[in-house]
Amino acid sequence: MKLIGLTGGAGSGKSTVAAMLRDLGAEVLDADVAAHTVYEPGSLGFDLVESEFGPDYIRDGKIDRARLGELVFRDADARARLNAIVHPLVREWMAAQTANALMHGAMVVVQDVPLLFENGLENLYSDVLLVYVPEPVQIRRLVEGRGLAEDRARAMVAAQMPIDEKKARARHVIDNSGTRDETRAQVERAWAELTSAS
């Protein structure tokens, strides 16, 4: 089995590329889904987040992700405290799902990990695939596509490693600033390389 890391900056279009990889036969595991799962009500993650940040970050019996997100994108200390809780739980979840995929015969597992480079995880993978768009495109997509205020979009991007630094560190780069067909062609080329390499 090959384990591939998929990453990219906020607004780069990782989910688009992940869907294309899934269509090509990859088992795709999403760290964002893992993060949602590990602090669902009743979980250890929920209890730890509530204990660390207090009841102001609970709404309707769930973690208020929007409010917590506002805090951690603007406060590096709060972000570090949240990451210290969530990242180990996410890694456990991803490892369990990867083992499950292997047991069910998956040949290629892609782990979609937004902060792969920030957390120094590249050595876990046989290859890393970066979805790239220039920073101004990231900001525009976050504002127009996700409806974020521009200052929030800029804070999200600033909280991550600069996209050009990620680009310099990745072996495989998908430039997602063009058309969907152009992106798909790059994904298919990368897939052919990733699955043929020994």
Side-chain angles (χ1 to χ4, degrees):
M1 182 193 79
K2 289 197 173 182
L3 186 60
I4 310 297
L6 174 66
T7 195
S12 62
K14 273 191 304 68
S15 56
T16 297
V17 171
M20 292 175 181
L21 290 167
R22 198 175 278 115
D23 289 345
L24 289 167
E27 179 78 27
V28 180
L29 304 176
D30 188 334
D32 282 339
V33 170
H36 289 208
T37 303
V38 300
Y39 55 74
E40 282 292 303
S43 69
L44 172 62
F46 179 95
D47 293 343
L48 292 171
V49 170
E50 182 180 26
S51 175
E52 182 66 34
F53 293 96
D56 289 347
Y57 291 91
I58 307 298
R59 183 175 177 185
D60 299 327
K62 296 182 177 180
I63 302 295
D64 186 341
R65 291 177 57 83
R67 185 164 189 191
L68 191 56
E70 283 287 341
L71 173 69
V72 301
F73 279 116
R74 296 183 192 284
D75 181 335
D77 176 65
R79 185 164 59 250
R81 285 160 41 220
L82 180 64
N83 288 345
I85 294 168
V86 174
H87 286 178
L89 298 172
V90 166
R91 283 194 288 273
E92 284 179 21
W93 186 92
M94 295 286 270
Q97 295 299 314
T98 299
N100 187 55
L102 178 61
M103 284 178 13
H104 288 89
M107 300 304 292
V108 179
V109 174
V110 175
Q111 292 189 352
D112 179 345
V113 182
L115 301 178
L116 188 151
F117 288 120
E118 287 86 342
N119 291 315
L121 302 176
E122 54 263 51
N123 292 333
L124 296 178
Y125 303 98
S126 56
D127 271 297
V128 174
L129 187 62
L130 173 75
V131 184
Y132 171 85
V133 295
E135 188 173 306
V137 177
Q138 288 182 267
I139 304 289
R140 189 183 77 238
R141 287 183 178 174
L142 290 168
V143 171
E144 295 175 3
R146 295 195 201 170
L148 297 181
E150 186 170 335
D151 64 334
R152 171 73 192 276
R154 290 188 182 283
M156 281 184 79
V157 170
Q160 298 182 350
M161 181 184 291
I163 191 69
D164 288 318
E165 188 176 335
K166 291 183 182 187
K167 186 179 182 184
R169 291 172 67 169
R171 269 188 61 201
H172 300 275
V173 178
I174 302 296
D175 185 337
N176 192 33
S177 54
T179 67
R180 183 176 286 265
D181 285 344
E182 289 168 340
T183 297
R184 186 181 302 278
Q186 293 176 72
V187 171
E188 288 173 353
R189 281 196 300 274
W191 176 255
E193 289 178 30
L194 292 166
T195 53
S196 67
S198 57

